[in-house]
Amino acid sequence: GSLAAVEPERAVELLNELPPSKRAALAPGVVMQWAQRDVEASLEWVDAQGEPGLRSRLAASVLPTLVATDSARAAEFYDSLSPGPYRRQAVQSMAAAWAATDPSGASAWLATLPGSNERNSAAASALGRWASDAPEAAAAALGWFVGDGGDQQSSQLAATVAGAWVTKDREAAMAWAESIGDDVSREVALSTTIGHWAGQDPEAAAEYIRQLAGHPETASLRQKVLGHVATGFANQPDERGLRAWVGQLPPDEAAQVWNNLASSNSYNETEHAQRYFEELVAVVPELKSEHGRAAGAIARRVAQYDVDGAMEWVGGLPDGEGREAAQSHLANQLVRTDPMSASRVLEAMPRTEG
């Protein structure tokens, strides 16, 4: 390693004396350092390697340096590589380096690559560099993934692009997210964008999702972003905005919001969580088991410093499966730390006949 940094030519001479397996293992690191000192000489040596797989593997170490000074030659050399996993490795390293120095040039080159797999491998590497610096180029590259039918990778990349773009230009990010053709990727991008928006301006984000009501094709998105808007309101110093907004929601959505807020605040903001859960109790006809999980999380946290208070709070919940679920969650924790209190909780639960 140190010899390659100081005298790469000498390091290469020593490589040539090694058995093929050791030479193949050490050569990429040596060639990478050689390329930083003399990219022409290192490329010439790589080009002279007779074994196609080794040549492609070494190219992945040289092309990122070459593309910064002569991208056309780097692209030409890449085209000469034999198919296989090392060609894919080369396209990934080259694309990431090119995207960092010339986003538009890299995007144009990516569009010329044959085959969706090769292009997608390169675009995925480039997207990581583009998302923050050149979101428009990242969005264009993402179109190749979505154009191939959309999948988990494309939706994850959509979230990456949206999250970076919205910090620079929310309106442009929203317009782009709305234009995505693939349903899954569009929903993920919009959810990410609205989440950031709601943190800065929950009133405006709330108005946006209000317009989604009554449209079946956007029902899933609305359900996802309700939590973002609720968190945005909850983070404001005054909770009146939160209560006013939730008061306008249909009862099932209001219950969802209060339940999620109670659950997410159960550990660090227990008093807030209890207030949110009381709001939930007020809007639902009866507590369900999923509500009981949130109540149980609150009770477990309270029990860490006030077991009797936790038992009293859970015992005061309305009768039904929600209270039973909360009691069960609390008892499961206490059985490890306070078996006697756990027994008291279990005794308070309804008896199952038979």
Side-chain angles (χ1 to χ4, degrees), residues 342-351:
S343 297
R344 291 166 54 198
V345 174
L346 293 172
E347 289 172 1
M349 295 178 66
R351 302 291 181 181

Side-chain angles (χ1 to χ4, degrees), residues 217-233:
E217 68 275 12
T218 59
S220 177
L221 172 63
R222 180 178 166 88
Q223 292 302 307
K224 283 184 171 67
V225 298
L226 280 173
H228 295 317
V229 176
T231 300
F233 276 117

Side-chain angles (χ1 to χ4, degrees), residues 100-123:
T101 57
D102 180 11
S104 60
S107 182
W109 171 68
L110 288 173
T112 69
L113 294 177
S116 60
N117 290 336
E118 186 172 339
R119 187 172 62 247
N120 285 357
S121 293

Side-chain angles (χ1 to χ4, degrees), residues 245-262:
W245 171 67
V246 178
Q248 300 173 7
L249 298 176
D252 59 332
E253 291 186 347
Q256 174 189 333
V257 166
W258 291 127
N259 189 61
N260 290 345
L261 285 174

Side-chain angles (χ1 to χ4, degrees), residues 131-132 157-168 173 176 189 192-193 196:
S132 297
L157 292 172
T160 299
V161 175
W165 201 344
V166 71
T167 63
K168 295 178 176 293
W176 166 73
T192 302
T193 306
H196 182 274

Side-chain angles (χ1 to χ4, degrees), residues 84-243:
Y86 293 125
R87 178 183 168 98
R88 188 177 306 113
Q89 181 181 340
V91 78
Q92 291 171 343
S93 60
M94 180 175 162
W98 199 340
T101 57
D102 180 11
S104 60
S107 182
W109 171 68
L110 288 173
T112 69
L113 294 177
S116 60
N117 290 336
E118 186 172 339
R119 187 172 62 247
N120 285 357
S121 293
S125 296
L127 274 167
R129 302 297 295 266
W130 279 335
S132 297
D133 299 331
E136 296 89 344
L142 179 65
W144 296 324
F145 291 90
V146 174
D148 288 329
D151 54 18
Q152 184 176 5
Q153 183 186 37
S154 66
S155 61
Q156 290 172 343
L157 292 172
T160 299
V161 175
W165 201 344
V166 71
T167 63
K168 295 178 176 293
D169 188 338
R170 178 183 58 78
E171 292 185 0
M174 285 289 293
W176 166 73
E178 290 175 336
S179 73
I180 297 176
D182 175 65
D183 292 342
V184 175
S185 295
R186 181 176 60 255
E187 186 171 296
V188 169
L190 280 171
S191 177
T192 302
T193 306
I194 295 170
H196 182 274
W197 186 11
Q200 297 181 323
D201 189 351
E203 291 86 359
E207 174 59 23
Y208 181 89
I209 68 168
R210 184 188 67 78
Q211 299 174 25
L212 302 179
H215 299 281
E217 68 275 12
T218 59
S220 177
L221 172 63
R222 180 178 166 88
Q223 292 302 307
K224 283 184 171 67
V225 298
L226 280 173
H228 295 317
V229 176
T231 300
F233 276 117
N235 288 335
Q236 293 183 326
D238 191 331
E239 288 187 353
R240 284 180 295 184
L242 171 65
R243 298 180 189 281

Side-chain angles (χ1 to χ4, degrees), residues 11-37:
V12 169
E13 291 177 3
L14 294 175
L15 277 178
N16 290 329
E17 299 174 3
L18 296 175
S21 59
K22 289 188 177 180
R23 182 167 67 249
L26 296 174
V30 173
V31 169
M32 181 181 296
Q33 296 191 57
W34 189 9
Q36 293 170 3
R37 290 171 61 93

